[in-house]
Amino acid sequence: MEEALIITNRSIVIKTHINGFPKETDFELKSEALSLNVEPGSGHVIVKNLYLSIDPAQLNRMKSYSTSQSHVGSFHDMQEIRGHGVGKVVASGDPEFQEGDLVAGELTWGEYCLMKPGVFYFRKLDSMGLPLSCHVGTLAYGGMTAYAGLFEVCKVKKGEKVFVSAAAGSVGHIAGQLAKLHGCYVVGSAGTTEKVELLKGKLGFDDAFNYKEEADLKATLRKHFPHGIDVYFDSVGGEMLEAAVANMNLFGRVAACGAISEYTGSGRKAAPDMVEVIYRRIQIQGFLCPDFLSVHSDFISATCDHLRSEKMVSVEDISTGLESIPSSFAGLFHGSNIGKTIVQIAVE
Ligand code: NAP
């Protein structure tokens, strides 16, 4: 008879719903026994997590209520926080996956993840010679969201004037670089001097400003865009969205990607001037990255080329160890991260 191989799987769970700013003390470490013996043909696959993506929108699933939950579900049982990640198969009852395969997809905030058929989406990963962390950020949701928002939602054209908020973050720093590579004039906003310098220096934005130092965002955007904004890539919502709409050109387009200033309930909800929207024929379109899977292979090939030719920089903010998940997650809402927030759980 086969001997049962039991390991201890540690994971991060939430103690209770989080309805404001997340704090490290909202989370706790849980340990559970996990058997590595999987029944052949059961479809169960056990993955050792290597890198986990830490994302602001996960907060909306931790709340007692958010309208987003009717679309993407909630973490109401509090026991299994899911997000994108990369891992390695350590046991498989599915003939499609072998021990040692690298996989990417929906994993849990733990050291191991038991993938059950039909419950988790994951696939084999070909790293294409690029670091595994790239497959958590720039080559995953972060980059794909930037690509879809710019090219599919806003249909950005060469020479257009593009404004990107949260520009030093995961989605923003790729959106700005893609717009520059497309021949646009690009200005970004971010919350620290260090981030502003990164945008104007290494990332090649035409200009950038620290929104926390500006008292009048409408006037600030008018100064940076004296001839108006054609495309606004919006990750923050709130007052910045109102200010951008007030500076949009005729037939301007807004990619409504995220509204992080509104997620914690602390900022004002955006109320753009709808008369401006109508008379200037401004299009504000919400979107979700998975809406654009049809262009995923175009995105991968274009982005890999940019990374290999070093025309694009992938900025990553990687912390180490499961215990660092709560602080990395809470930090997103205080601007602590620069680039894509990732936690490395184990070495490959
Ligand atoms: P991120 O930009 O890497 O991290 C969040 C950043 O937001 C922080 O670093 C901070 O930078 C900024 N921020 C935090 N609170 C803010 C506030 N009150 N006002 C203005 N800025 C604030 O995160 P991300 O993963 O790229 O996500 C960015 C946005 O895109 C989020 O809203 C997220 O929900 C959304 N998103 C949408 C999709 C989709 O499919 N639609 C996919 C991925 C992400 P500063 O220092 O600049 O303040």
Side-chain angles (χ1 to χ4, degrees), residues 87-274:
K88 192 172 232 179
V89 173
V90 289
S92 175
D94 180 336
E96 280 194 31
F97 296 93
Q98 311 301 322
E99 200 180 319
D101 283 348
L102 284 172
V103 292
E106 198 182 31
L107 302 177
T108 51
W109 279 6
E111 290 171 319
Y112 293 85
C113 184
L114 169 60
M115 319 288 262
K116 296 177 185 165
V119 180
F120 287 88
Y121 165 76
F122 66 111
R123 60 180 169 80
K124 272 192 204 176
L125 175 70
D126 172 4
S127 71
M128 298 177 287
L130 289 161
L132 289 184
S133 55
C134 256
H135 295 276
V136 178
T138 299
L139 290 171
Y141 285 96
M144 178 65 195
T145 303
Y147 183 91
L150 273 182
F151 299 118
E152 299 298 311
V153 175
C154 292
K155 303 202 172 2
V156 68
K157 294 190 277 291
K158 184 177 175 179
E160 285 194 312
K161 293 175 281 299
V162 176
F163 172 49
V164 181
S165 56
S170 166
V171 177
H173 86 290
I174 302 299
Q177 290 183 84
L178 284 172
K180 274 307 297 170
L181 287 164
H182 200 60
C184 299
Y185 176 79
V186 184
V187 177
S189 65
T192 66
T193 309
E194 187 188 0
K195 292 182 184 184
V196 167
E197 291 310 316
L198 173 78
L199 296 174
K200 293 198 288 188
K202 195 171 174 186
L203 300 185
F205 283 50
D206 293 288
D207 212 344
F209 65 91
N210 180 348
Y211 69 95
K212 289 182 181 166
E213 290 176 347
E214 302 294 334
D216 181 345
L217 291 175
K218 282 185 194 169
T220 303
L221 286 175
R222 202 176 310 121
K223 188 178 81 193
H224 285 283
F225 292 96
H227 304 293
I229 300 169
D230 299 306
V231 164
Y232 172 37
F233 196 104
D234 181 21
S235 284
V236 307
E239 273 185 83
M240 191 66 95
L241 174 57
E242 294 171 13
V245 165
N247 281 280
M248 299 292 294
N249 286 331
L250 278 182
F251 298 102
R253 287 91 69 209
V254 177
C257 167
I260 193 167
S261 75
E262 303 182 21
Y263 294 172
T264 52
S266 57
R268 196 174 82 215
K269 284 194 185 295
D273 184 335
M274 292 311 290

Side-chain angles (χ1 to χ4, degrees), residues 23-46:
K23 304 179 295 302
E24 286 184 52
T25 49
D26 292 329
F27 299 88
E28 65 188 0
L29 199 66
K30 186 180 89 169
S31 293
E32 262 181 343
L34 176 68
S35 166
L36 293 186
N37 293 108
V38 288
E39 198 65 38
S42 63
H44 289 186
V45 176
I46 298 178

